[in-house]
Amino acid sequence: MTDHSRRQVTLDEVAERAGVSRSAASRVINNAPHVSKAKREAVQRAVTDLGYVPNATARALATQQVGAVVLAISSDNPQVFADPFFAEVAVGVNSVLEETELELILQLATSSRGQTRLEQLLRTRQADGVMLMSMHGDDPLAQLAEKSDVPVVFGGTPTNFEPQYYVDADNRGGARLATEHLVATGRRRIATITGRMDESAGTARYKGYQEALAVAGLDAGRVVYGDFSEEGGGQAMEQLLAEHPDLDAVFVASDQMAIGAMRVLKLAGKTIPGDVAVVGFNDVALARHTEPPLTTVAQPIQSLGREMARMLLALIAGESPTPLILPTRLVQRASS
Amino acid sequence: MTDHSRRQVTLDEVAERAGVSRSAASRVINNAPHVSKAKREAVQRAVTDLGYVPNATARALATQQVGAVVLAISSDNPQVFADPFFAEVAVGVNSVLEETELELILQLATSSRGQTRLEQLLRTRQADGVMLMSMHGDDPLAQLAEKSDVPVVFGGTPTNFEPQYYVDADNRGGARLATEHLVATGRRRIATITGRMDESAGTARYKGYQEALAVAGLDAGRVVYGDFSEEGGGQAMEQLLAEHPDLDAVFVASDQMAIGAMRVLKLAGKTIPGDVAVVGFNDVALARHTEPPLTTVAQPIQSLGREMARMLLALIAGESPTPLILPTRLVQRASS
DNA sequence: CTGAAAGCGCTAACAA
DNA sequence: TTGTTAGCGCTTTCAG
């Protein structure tokens, strides 16, 4: 390896080596026009000879563009990251950013410190754009982001307003799919355990459930409100069993909750899917391994990340992309 | 589209508003000494009045410090991120960085583009420090990082050399723990399914297994080499069963593989842990939910991230921290 | 097509 | 304790 790595090679050095002015060198680097072929080649040679790499900071200062975008995850609960969801989104985002010169800055806003930083970032434009995944519905940061001067795209939709630019999974459609499947397989007394109703994923899935039952002309009254946790899913199932002992199926708004629910169901002596069919949501890795394996709704998580990044790029380029809703699909396994 | 430009409040404006020189203002901002109380307060007032936030880019250019560190994950396989491991490390890292002014840049180096960028970064100091998790042993990037001018701390250890600064989980100790547990519960014909031997986690866990058996005076010859995947775990178990039908326990170097192995074991009519005891490694969420629940070795993943970040901070501050090996612990469940 | 010169916003050495 | 003065490395008018 060449040992030019000691001190940084500057543009001036390149220019001198190539025997041209700094501006000419600059033009070549940014392949701008108005440079003779001869000079262009001389500069290129100097660049490889010297191992020149432009100083991103200086460039950022001169162009007033940071060269970095932020993936911000705002949540009141650091626990959410135990979920592979986050990682997969990041992979998707990264895959499209890799094609550009942009860096990816990660901003987990769980503590108040983290939130303050995100706020400042939004106010002072320390990034060229922000992708914000807000894990609870009425996040003040979400509002602030929407008003910000910095281009922002949302992952998922806040509950209290509809952002201008977002990409979301089709939670409602997925829930409808799941419930329709239950109807199609002969179930008639279909209950649901909802997610947190302060998250749009929670409300949307509940709506999907209602819609499907309305279309089928079935009663949508067997409802217990859950919290997305395994623990909570179990409790909800107990309550459901007590209030509606006749149920023959349950659509559970997350796999975690479904796992808890299945445990309770088995404890109560119910067979799955014989007595009660169960469908979950998310298709986490665990779903394949439950007893019986869990029918569930899969979301295109990596695509979500990818599309968020693409949308942000478009925004930065001055375009006006339209919001996106990505399709979900039913994954049938033995529990229904 | 909305006009995303807005002028930023500069230090000069603050200085003027406060009626002091720019250097005085600067000193206050960085709370340096040599400023009279009166001026200090005047500046502070101006700052809040104007809503001044320093321009990080300009500061970076002037100080020659980027104000950001990189968490780089180098792997030939984008799939590794499906693992929550990555997310948890990031959370740990973030938690300590949150206490500082440093940003966290994520660099997933799976594609050659990503690797090139990481290389450039290492060569040209576009970050104040790098945390490198290298997922396969003889990663050329690892060598490059070690030679780099930029402070680097490794997560896990490469197979082909020992870096100066690293934090790793005690894979060897964990494997020994697991195997000793098997010995202590009366098993005598203990097999192992190893991980990939081009990853240090793979070789270290294999060594731990060997050590424990050597100490116990038992035969350590029932070995099949695996690849950390569920699929591979199943195949390895088949081979093991064919070659060593007398085995009464198996230490499997990852939970994923253990799950595959348990499936094969059951198919072969073996009871767990009656006929064959099984112990895994990692304590993934799934381990709690297998049938029977999987005894496994837990690693302190978040701590790993936290300690990496702390070590990097120390390095940046000019200290010489010592490498760290974090303890693992046995989580006993029904499979052993 | 080419190069000189004026910044981008901040820090830091040096005088005063 | 103050303020003045150079830069940090790059981009970008603006004349030539």
Side-chain angles (χ1 to χ4, degrees), chain B residues 6 19 41 64-65 76 105 115 123 130-131 160 168 205-207 218 230 232 247-248 269 272 278 280 318-319 332-333:
Chain B
R6 192 183 58 176
E41 280 164 1
Q64 299 289 67
Q65 300 200 330
D76 43 3
I105 295 177
Q115 305 206 356
R123 291 221 348 279
V130 174
M131 289 163 282
N160 47 353
D168 201 352
R205 290 171 197 177
Y206 180 40
K207 277 190 199 134
L218 295 174
E230 184 176 332
L247 60 84
D248 62 4
I272 305 169
V278 178
E319 303 164 21
Q332 288 194 39
R333 300 209 179 88

Side-chain angles (χ1 to χ4, degrees), chain A residues 18-74:
Chain A
V20 303
S21 70
R22 182 166 75 244
S23 16
S26 174
R27 289 190 186 106
V28 174
I29 303 294
N30 302 304
N31 45 64
H34 308 305
V35 186
S36 69
K37 187 156 185 169
K39 281 198 201 289
R40 187 170 293 269
E41 279 165 1
V43 171
Q44 278 158 349
R45 207 159 339 104
V47 164
T48 57
D49 284 1
L50 267 37
Y52 169 76
V53 178
N55 179 319
T57 305
R59 178 177 283 180
L61 184 59
T63 59
Q64 299 290 70
Q65 300 199 330
V66 183
V69 296
V70 171
L71 174 59
I73 320 233
S74 176

Side-chain angles (χ1 to χ4, degrees), chain A residues 100 102 117 123 125 149, chain B residues 4 6 98 100 102 111 117:
Chain A
T100 73
L102 292 166
R117 267 169 74 155
R123 293 224 343 282
R125 206 187 179 72
D149 286 339
Chain B
H4 284 303
R6 192 183 58 176
E98 221 165 43
T100 73
L102 292 167
S111 69
R117 265 166 78 154

Side-chain angles (χ1 to χ4, degrees), chain A residues 30-300:
Chain A
N30 302 304
N31 45 64
H34 308 305
V35 186
S36 69
K37 187 156 185 169
K39 281 198 201 289
R40 187 170 293 269
E41 279 165 1
V43 171
Q44 278 158 349
R45 207 159 339 104
V47 164
T48 57
D49 284 1
L50 267 37
Y52 169 76
V53 178
N55 179 319
T57 305
R59 178 177 283 180
L61 184 59
T63 59
Q64 299 290 70
Q65 300 199 330
V66 183
V69 296
V70 171
L71 174 59
I73 320 233
S74 176
S75 167
D76 42 3
N77 172 13
Q79 208 55 15
V80 299
F81 307 115
D83 209 308
F85 187 85
F86 157 64
E88 287 215 47
V89 170
V91 172
V93 166
N94 182 74
S95 73
V96 356
L97 253 34
E98 222 166 43
E99 308 292 307
T100 73
E101 298 285 76
L102 292 166
E103 310 263 282
L104 175 58
I105 296 177
L106 206 58
Q107 187 66 259
L108 308 186
T110 46
S111 68
S112 67
R113 293 267 318 194
Q115 304 206 355
T116 310
R117 267 169 74 155
L118 188 51
E119 267 174 56
Q120 290 204 349
L121 193 147
L122 254 14
R123 293 224 343 282
T124 65
R125 206 187 179 72
Q126 306 286 10
D128 295 323
V130 173
M131 288 162 283
L132 178 59
M133 314 221 44
S134 191
M135 292 330 210
H136 59 293
D138 54 345
D139 193 331
L141 249 39
Q143 305 251 22
L144 203 131
E146 186 68 358
K147 295 203 168 43
S148 163
D149 286 339
V150 182
V152 174
V153 354
F154 284 78
T157 38
T159 43
N160 46 354
F161 70 97
E162 171 156 329
Q164 197 172 0
Y165 304 108
Y166 66 87
V167 10
D168 201 354
D170 187 6
N171 287 299
R172 188 148 137 192
R176 204 167 45 215
L177 230 53
T179 312
E180 283 168 357
H181 162 72
L182 256 12
V183 172
T185 51
R187 310 291 169 164
R188 288 298 172 266
R189 295 176 300 281
I190 304 172
T192 190
I193 299 175
T194 75
R196 288 177 51 167
M197 297 306 273
D198 65 343
E199 296 186 25
S200 69
T203 57
R205 290 171 196 175
Y206 180 38
K207 276 189 202 138
Y209 160 83
Q210 290 177 309
E211 273 175 33
L213 290 192
V215 167
L218 295 174
D219 173 24
R222 284 169 259 254
V223 178
V224 170
Y225 296 90
D227 62 354
F228 280 136
S229 79
E230 184 176 331
E231 187 68 19
Q235 289 168 5
M237 194 68 238
E238 281 169 9
Q239 190 181 336
L240 223 37
L241 243 23
E243 296 176 1
H244 310 282
D246 64 336
L247 60 83
D248 62 4
V250 53
F251 164 60
V252 191
S254 85
D255 290 348
Q256 296 299 334
M257 290 198 296
I259 287 163
M262 281 170 67
R263 185 172 33 71
V264 168
L265 240 20
K266 286 189 245 175
L267 248 48
K270 304 282 190 184
T271 63
I272 304 170
D275 296 329
V276 180
V278 178
V279 179
F281 208 112
N282 280 349
D283 195 24
V284 301
L286 233 88
R288 204 183 312 270
H289 293 280
T290 54
E291 190 42 45
L294 183 63
T295 295
T296 184
V297 178
Q299 313 187 51

